[in-house]
């Protein structure tokens, strides 16, 4: 199984950014361990601070990957364009958040992505990505 993880804006600052919410580990550091834990899968990683680049990468992932794990970060709460893209492509997209957006500021409660994502996992810290990969493994192997 080939998986692409896409992280949106400011997630390149994990480890230094609001550690009380996002923890003190960089994503690169976590990714190394994630790849070891799921060494039966091929995992690629892409991070960008730009909305359009997320869309370009999602479109390009069709036919190249079995699934995408997407943390759209702040675009979760604003991006109709990313939601439209997910609807337009034929590949399962799993939405992930490190924090529980439902328990934070009211402006984070709404996600444009959840209605179009195959599934959403949030609030488990970086473990949310582990859970999403496990889900994808089962989802993809179903006939
Ligand atoms: C986030 C939650 C978003 O509200 C926020 O803008 C982020 C990260 C999370 O992973 O918890 O940048 O997506």
């Amino acid at each position: 199984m080939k998986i692409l993880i896409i992280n949106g804006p400011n997630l390149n600052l994990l480890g230094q950014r609001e550690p009380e919410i996002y923890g003190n580990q960089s994503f690169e550091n976590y990714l190394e361990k994630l790849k070891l834990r799921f060494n039966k899968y091929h995992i690629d990683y892409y991070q960008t601070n730009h909305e359009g680049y997320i869309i370009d990468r999602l479109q390009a992932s069709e036919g190249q990957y079995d699934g995408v794990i997407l943390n759209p970060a702040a675009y979760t709460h604003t991006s109709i364009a990313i939601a439209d893209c997910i609807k337009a492509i034929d590949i399962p997209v799993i939405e992930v958040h490190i924090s529980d957006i439902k328990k934070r500021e009211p402006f984070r409660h709404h996600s444009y992505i959840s209605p179009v994502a195959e599934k959403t996992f949030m609030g488990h810290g970086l473990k949310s990505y582990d859970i999403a990969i496990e889900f994808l493994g089962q989802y993809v192997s179903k006939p």
Side-chain angles (χ1 to χ4, degrees):
M1 181 168 77
K2 274 186 82 183
I3 300 169
L4 174 63
I5 298 175
I6 303 179
N7 272 348
N10 301 307
L11 293 171
N12 54 319
L13 300 181
L14 284 182
Q16 70 171 75
R17 172 194 185 202
E18 300 177 90
E20 65 289 357
I21 297 174
Y22 300 113
N24 40 31
Q25 194 174 179
S26 72
F27 196 81
E28 284 70 18
N29 188 278
Y30 166 73
L31 186 63
E32 266 178 45
K33 293 183 249 171
L34 193 72
K35 283 183 172 175
L36 287 176
R37 261 199 298 283
F38 292 99
N39 58 12
K40 58 183 170 175
Y41 300 145
H42 175 97
I43 302 175
D44 287 334
Y45 172 58
Y46 177 68
Q47 190 278 330
T48 177
N49 294 322
H50 304 277
E51 184 176 16
Y53 289 168
I54 295 178
I55 293 166
D56 287 345
R57 202 60 199 254
L58 279 170
Q59 290 184 4
S61 67
E62 211 181 1
Q64 301 299 313
Y65 292 92
D66 297 294
V68 174
I69 292 171
L70 171 66
N71 185 344
Y75 291 133
T76 306
H77 320 295
T78 62
S79 184
I80 297 168
I82 294 175
D84 280 351
C85 173
I86 295 170
K87 257 198 272 184
I89 59 176
D90 187 20
I91 179 170
V93 175
I94 316 301
E95 176 190 15
V96 155
H97 300 285
I98 298 163
S99 63
D100 185 345
I101 58 174
K102 304 287 180 198
K103 292 190 178 148
R104 296 184 61 192
E105 307 94 314
F107 64 83
R108 293 185 202 275
H109 291 185
H110 179 257
S111 166
Y112 281 102
I113 309 306
S114 298
V116 294
E118 219 57 62
K119 188 91 180 168
T120 301
F121 297 102
M122 64 171 84
H124 303 278
L126 286 168
K127 218 174 157 238
S128 298
Y129 293 85
D130 287 74
I131 298 167
I133 292 179
E134 273 160 21
F135 172 84
L136 210 48
Q138 287 175 5
Y139 181 92
V140 168
S141 66
K142 273 190 199 134

